[in-house]
Amino acid sequence: MAFDGPDLDRAAEILAGAESLLVLTGAGVSAESGIPTFRGAGGLWRNFRAEELATPEAFARDPGLVWSWYRWRRRICLEASPNAGHLAIAGLEDRFPSFLLATQNVDGLHRRASSRRMLELHGSIHHSRCTGCGTVADLPADPGPEDAPPPRCAPCGGLLRPHIVWFGEGYHEGVLETAFAFARTAGAILVAGTSAMVWPPAAIALDGQAHGAALIDVNPEETEISRAADVWLAAPSGESLPALLARLPR
Ligand code: BV8
Ligand code: ZN
């Protein structure tokens, strides 16, 4: 289905009639900011795939390699800017008294686009957590040389890790519960830029739809969510989300 014309109008109608909106995003909304997605062509680093490095096993085996990958990614995130899709989502937040953005992304671009009522389901590439005392802290503004040794906790000397949810790990306390609870009361759910390959996040939108929410998916490619959606906008989020926002009554 094309993204302009009747589909866009139907999506705007759904949003205009909804009291509360949940937005769920994935790496695709940051693609137009130049950040490689997980499964797109750019998802490789030194011939490793994300799934091989974003795991506790990889970190236990070689924390230095995992830190090099995250420093490389973090530099890309810091040099990137939010795109029109991020800005449109921040614009949608202002239109809904009841709103939540649940992002799977760790790049920090939604926050830099002024999204406020949001959950980072998988944590943030800009935060570290001590494997010793559990302290969560901001990482320094400059990621530093890619191959520097893994950082250590000043107070306890423990090895720091990215404060990110890796494959095979559980979610940070209360994060999933909050997202599912909001989805079950939402009037509309707007999904953008996710392949819906990773569970449980992919289930949030489908569960919300099962509880009565109208579901819109924004993705140039077909996914399990676009197949279930009431409206599928098959176009880049940087184009379709601003067009959608522009169609909402002021
Ligand atoms: C858990 C942080 C249990 C890391 C991430 C077998 C079957 C099903 C599930 C499993 C299984 N085996 C294991 C599992 C569970 C596993 C999982 O789902 N694995 C997958 C790979 C099969 N899940 C987990 O392990 C999760 N934990 O289940 O816990 C548990 C409970 C208690 C105690 C112990 C354990 C944790 C998963 C979290 C992993 N961390 N990110 C980091 O960033 O470094 S996941 C990572 O991939 C992302 O955060 C995101 O969540 C996920 C999917 O990526 P997407 O964001 O969707 O990006 P992708 O590249 O895939 O797709 C991009 C899309 O954008 C494409 O569709 C493309 O068409 C579109 N696009 C491109 N350009 C644009 C666009 N769209 C719009 N506009 C554009 N311009
Ligand atoms: Zn510590």
Side-chain angles (χ1 to χ4, degrees), residues 209 217 222-230 232:
Q209 184 187 39
D217 187 44
E222 185 176 322
T223 70
E224 183 167 351
I225 289 183
S226 61
R227 281 193 292 278
D230 299 282
W232 172 27

Side-chain angles (χ1 to χ4, degrees), residues 25-32 36-40 50-51 54 69-70 73 104-106 122-123 125 164-171 192-201 218-223 235-238 240:
T25 61
V29 299
S30 296
E32 290 156 274
T37 63
F38 277 81
R39 285 160 195 83
E51 287 84 356
W69 178 52
Y70 275 100
R73 284 178 66 196
Q104 300 173 84
N105 302 338
V106 299
H122 293 146
I125 201 163
I164 279 181
V165 179
W166 282 331
F167 290 98
E169 289 192 314
Y171 283 69
T194 187
S195 62
M197 302 262 284
V198 166
W199 293 80
V218 174
N219 194 328
E221 285 168 21
E222 185 176 322
T223 70
S237 48
S240 46

Side-chain angles (χ1 to χ4, degrees), residues 53-75:
L53 293 171
T55 68
E57 295 76 21
F59 186 74
R61 196 173 43 247
D62 189 344
L65 178 73
V66 172
W67 269 109
S68 298
W69 178 52
Y70 275 100
R71 285 192 182 109
W72 171 77
R73 284 178 66 196
R74 187 157 173 253
R75 190 172 295 288

Side-chain angles (χ1 to χ4, degrees), residues 150-175:
R152 290 214 165 252
C153 173
C156 86
L159 188 59
L160 299 187
R161 58 164 282 177
H163 185 44
I164 279 181
V165 179
W166 282 331
F167 290 98
E169 289 192 314
Y171 283 69
H172 303 148
E173 189 62 34
V175 167

